[in-house]
mmCIF file of all heavy atoms in Angstrom:
data_model
loop_
_atom_site.group_PDB
_atom_site.id
_atom_site.type_symbol
_atom_site.label_atom_id
_atom_site.label_comp_id
_atom_site.label_asym_id
_atom_site.label_seq_id
_atom_site.Cartn_x
_atom_site.Cartn_y
_atom_site.Cartn_z
ATOM 1 N N VAL H 103 7.600 12.505 1.035
ATOM 2 C CA VAL H 103 6.261 13.037 1.289
ATOM 3 C C VAL H 103 5.275 11.884 1.452
ATOM 4 O O VAL H 103 5.292 10.937 0.659
ATOM 5 C CB VAL H 103 5.783 13.924 0.116
ATOM 6 C CG1 VAL H 103 4.440 14.561 0.432
ATOM 7 C CG2 VAL H 103 6.806 14.993 -0.225
ATOM 8 N N ALA H 104 4.413 11.961 2.466
ATOM 9 C CA ALA H 104 3.314 11.004 2.614
ATOM 10 C C ALA H 104 2.071 11.590 1.954
ATOM 11 O O ALA H 104 1.724 12.744 2.196
ATOM 12 C CB ALA H 104 3.044 10.722 4.086
ATOM 13 N N VAL H 105 1.421 10.793 1.122
ATOM 14 C CA VAL H 105 0.276 11.259 0.342
ATOM 15 C C VAL H 105 -0.842 10.246 0.459
ATOM 16 O O VAL H 105 -0.581 9.043 0.431
ATOM 17 C CB VAL H 105 0.639 11.398 -1.157
ATOM 18 C CG1 VAL H 105 -0.442 12.136 -1.915
ATOM 19 C CG2 VAL H 105 1.974 12.081 -1.330
ATOM 20 N N ASN H 106 -2.082 10.718 0.596
ATOM 21 C CA ASN H 106 -3.189 9.758 0.590
ATOM 22 C C ASN H 106 -3.406 9.237 -0.835
ATOM 23 O O ASN H 106 -3.098 9.900 -1.819
ATOM 24 C CB ASN H 106 -4.469 10.385 1.154
ATOM 25 C CG ASN H 106 -4.975 11.549 0.344
ATOM 26 O OD1 ASN H 106 -4.207 12.449 0.034
ATOM 27 N ND2 ASN H 106 -6.243 11.538 -0.013
ATOM 28 N N ALA H 107 -3.934 8.007 -0.931
ATOM 29 C CA ALA H 107 -4.038 7.306 -2.210
ATOM 30 C C ALA H 107 -4.851 8.104 -3.229
ATOM 31 O O ALA H 107 -4.481 8.165 -4.408
ATOM 32 C CB ALA H 107 -4.661 5.926 -2.002
ATOM 33 N N ASP H 108 -5.950 8.730 -2.805
ATOM 34 C CA ASP H 108 -6.793 9.440 -3.759
ATOM 35 C C ASP H 108 -6.094 10.674 -4.324
ATOM 36 O O ASP H 108 -6.259 10.989 -5.504
ATOM 37 C CB ASP H 108 -8.131 9.826 -3.114
ATOM 38 C CG ASP H 108 -8.992 8.605 -2.812
ATOM 39 O OD1 ASP H 108 -8.791 7.568 -3.469
ATOM 40 O OD2 ASP H 108 -9.854 8.681 -1.926
ATOM 41 N N SER H 109 -5.318 11.377 -3.504
ATOM 42 C CA SER H 109 -4.557 12.520 -4.022
ATOM 43 C C SER H 109 -3.508 12.037 -5.015
ATOM 44 O O SER H 109 -3.316 12.630 -6.074
ATOM 45 C CB SER H 109 -3.874 13.292 -2.887
ATOM 46 O OG SER H 109 -4.830 13.985 -2.107
ATOM 47 N N LEU H 110 -2.839 10.925 -4.666
ATOM 48 C CA LEU H 110 -1.806 10.386 -5.549
ATOM 49 C C LEU H 110 -2.409 9.968 -6.894
ATOM 50 O O LEU H 110 -1.795 10.131 -7.941
ATOM 51 C CB LEU H 110 -1.132 9.192 -4.850
ATOM 52 C CG LEU H 110 0.115 8.598 -5.481
ATOM 53 C CD1 LEU H 110 1.140 9.659 -5.821
ATOM 54 C CD2 LEU H 110 0.742 7.565 -4.548
ATOM 55 N N ALA H 111 -3.641 9.456 -6.858
ATOM 56 C CA ALA H 111 -4.282 8.977 -8.088
ATOM 57 C C ALA H 111 -4.872 10.120 -8.913
ATOM 58 O O ALA H 111 -5.253 9.906 -10.056
ATOM 59 C CB ALA H 111 -5.379 7.973 -7.750
ATOM 60 N N THR H 112 -4.971 11.329 -8.344
ATOM 61 C CA THR H 112 -5.647 12.398 -9.091
ATOM 62 C C THR H 112 -4.720 13.596 -9.372
ATOM 63 O O THR H 112 -4.297 13.786 -10.501
ATOM 64 C CB THR H 112 -6.919 12.850 -8.351
ATOM 65 O OG1 THR H 112 -6.609 13.188 -6.997
ATOM 66 C CG2 THR H 112 -7.966 11.727 -8.348
ATOM 67 N N TRP H 113 -4.368 14.378 -8.363
ATOM 68 C CA TRP H 113 -3.697 15.648 -8.660
ATOM 69 C C TRP H 113 -2.245 15.729 -8.226
ATOM 70 O O TRP H 113 -1.513 16.606 -8.660
ATOM 71 C CB TRP H 113 -4.460 16.806 -7.990
ATOM 72 C CG TRP H 113 -4.503 16.697 -6.481
ATOM 73 C CD1 TRP H 113 -5.408 15.985 -5.745
ATOM 74 C CD2 TRP H 113 -3.589 17.263 -5.546
ATOM 75 N NE1 TRP H 113 -5.113 16.073 -4.411
ATOM 76 C CE2 TRP H 113 -4.010 16.868 -4.257
ATOM 77 C CE3 TRP H 113 -2.460 18.081 -5.663
ATOM 78 C CZ2 TRP H 113 -3.334 17.244 -3.105
ATOM 79 C CZ3 TRP H 113 -1.790 18.455 -4.511
ATOM 80 C CH2 TRP H 113 -2.233 18.039 -3.251
ATOM 81 N N PHE H 114 -1.782 14.787 -7.359
ATOM 82 C CA PHE H 114 -0.500 15.028 -6.704
ATOM 83 C C PHE H 114 0.716 14.913 -7.635
ATOM 84 O O PHE H 114 1.641 15.719 -7.569
ATOM 85 C CB PHE H 114 -0.333 14.102 -5.496
ATOM 86 C CG PHE H 114 0.834 14.498 -4.647
ATOM 87 C CD1 PHE H 114 0.731 15.532 -3.737
ATOM 88 C CD2 PHE H 114 2.065 13.871 -4.787
ATOM 89 C CE1 PHE H 114 1.815 15.937 -2.983
ATOM 90 C CE2 PHE H 114 3.159 14.271 -4.034
ATOM 91 C CZ PHE H 114 3.030 15.302 -3.134
ATOM 92 N N LEU H 115 0.722 13.907 -8.523
ATOM 93 C CA LEU H 115 1.890 13.758 -9.402
ATOM 94 C C LEU H 115 2.044 14.969 -10.314
ATOM 95 O O LEU H 115 3.167 15.389 -10.629
ATOM 96 C CB LEU H 115 1.782 12.478 -10.232
ATOM 97 C CG LEU H 115 2.295 11.217 -9.552
ATOM 98 C CD1 LEU H 115 2.076 10.017 -10.446
ATOM 99 C CD2 LEU H 115 3.770 11.347 -9.208
ATOM 100 N N GLY H 116 0.904 15.562 -10.718
ATOM 101 C CA GLY H 116 0.951 16.780 -11.529
ATOM 102 C C GLY H 116 1.665 17.899 -10.801
ATOM 103 O O GLY H 116 2.350 18.722 -11.423
ATOM 104 N N ALA H 117 1.506 17.932 -9.469
ATOM 105 C CA ALA H 117 2.203 18.954 -8.681
ATOM 106 C C ALA H 117 3.719 18.756 -8.787
ATOM 107 O O ALA H 117 4.468 19.712 -8.973
ATOM 108 C CB ALA H 117 1.756 18.881 -7.220
ATOM 109 N N LEU H 118 4.167 17.501 -8.694
ATOM 110 C CA LEU H 118 5.612 17.244 -8.701
ATOM 111 C C LEU H 118 6.246 17.617 -10.040
ATOM 112 O O LEU H 118 7.399 18.054 -10.087
ATOM 113 C CB LEU H 118 5.887 15.772 -8.378
ATOM 114 C CG LEU H 118 5.426 15.327 -6.991
ATOM 115 C CD1 LEU H 118 5.961 13.949 -6.693
ATOM 116 C CD2 LEU H 118 5.855 16.314 -5.904
ATOM 117 N N THR H 119 5.482 17.453 -11.125
ATOM 118 C CA THR H 119 6.062 17.790 -12.430
ATOM 119 C C THR H 119 6.175 19.307 -12.603
ATOM 120 O O THR H 119 6.804 19.771 -13.547
ATOM 121 C CB THR H 119 5.228 17.195 -13.581
ATOM 122 O OG1 THR H 119 3.899 17.725 -13.505
ATOM 123 C CG2 THR H 119 5.165 15.690 -13.485
#
Side-chain angles (χ1 to χ4, degrees):
Chain H
V103 184
V105 191
N106 63 310
D108 292 336
S109 290
L110 189 50
T112 53
W113 62 275
F114 191 81
L115 274 177
L118 297 190
T119 60

